[in-house]
Amino acid sequence: MISLRQNTRTALRLTAAIVATVAAGPVVAQEADAAGEPVAPAAASSLAAPVPALVDATTHDKTLRSIVDAGPPRLADGEEAGSDIAYAAFQRGWFLTALGLATPLAENGDMAAQALMGVLHEAGLGIVQDKTKAADWYALAAAKGDEGSAMQLAQLYLLGTGIEADKKKAADYFEQAAETGNPSALYNLALLYQEGEGRPFDEKKARELLEEAAGLNDPEAQYALGLSYIEAQTGLNDPGQGAFWMGRAARRGHTSAQVYYGILRFQGKGVDPDEAEASDWFERAATAGNPVAMNRLARIYAYGRGRPQDFAAAAGWHLIARTLGVSDHNLDRIVESLDETTLAEARKLAEQYSATLMAPTEDPERESP
């Protein structure tokens, strides 16, 4: 089932880039300098000064020290701090400084500063985390047209984080962000139309939004669009288009799309049948950790469809898939019929691909999970 998701891409503008920093994930804990200011690593923001990828540890440490030693942004005599200075402090990890600079600007109506205040409150940087206040600041910035703030506010309303869940308001703010071509906003808004929540059920409108997001190379939208063409309930089915978009998503590394596209290839639905290529897609998704793909790959090896029959490989992939909750009684019976040598090979393969899921089998007589 497709689910609404958080924004991972925003336009490369000042305030949108601030939002993307929070959307990227948790911030590494900061140390404090002698004055009590938190110090963040150089990579705390996607737009921070880049550190060369291939450097030795000494060079890397010197780079970090130079950024820390530089301190927060300094103003020239008579220069007034603007939101760009506040953001520069934020980038360097001087969150208390960023907060101090942004607060009066935001209170005086500066849109970028209001967006930054939303970020600081939402993530708890330089201030106690307060997502309710974050929503208030995002709302002020969104009202001035900031699509990054609109995207974040939509997420808060969608999930009921810091504010009461309201899918109608979430849809409104997703729509605002979508007007700038934000693929994640387009995708989320499409799903609300698909589900009839926050917007009236409208499969055609959802299809249009998904097509726009898919055209921007968003793999989630491509996957959802493929499903829309394949599983539509109102006569909008088109297996060929479904397979096309599912294949696009699969090639962009979407593991669920890889499984689905493998099934379409295997069965010849919307695309020419090709069991060998289907097997390749199952293997890609399986090695990425998808348990359904592991089960499909196990069946491929068990029945010799698309790959030469290999009971050790079939049993190995089945053991991993079963550990992850995908049962298959037919494969259970095949495993039970194998000799000890083949079972040992199967366990070795299972342990190779699932070291973090099951302990190595020290006792060959012990039943694998």
Side-chain angles (χ1 to χ4, degrees), residues 307-343:
R307 294 281 175 88
Q309 194 171 51
D310 186 334
F311 288 116
W317 283 112
H318 171 56
L319 292 176
I320 308 171
R322 191 172 67 182
T323 299
L324 294 173
V326 179
S327 59
D328 190 315
H329 297 305
N330 290 330
L331 290 174
D332 281 339
R333 287 193 288 270
I334 290 176
V335 170
E336 291 168 359
S337 70
L338 299 179
D339 58 68
E340 283 302 319
T341 300
T342 306
L343 277 175

Side-chain angles (χ1 to χ4, degrees), residues 42 98 195 201-202 238 244 283 287:
E195 297 167 2
F201 174 79
D202 189 333
D238 187 330
F244 171 79
E283 184 171 37
T287 54

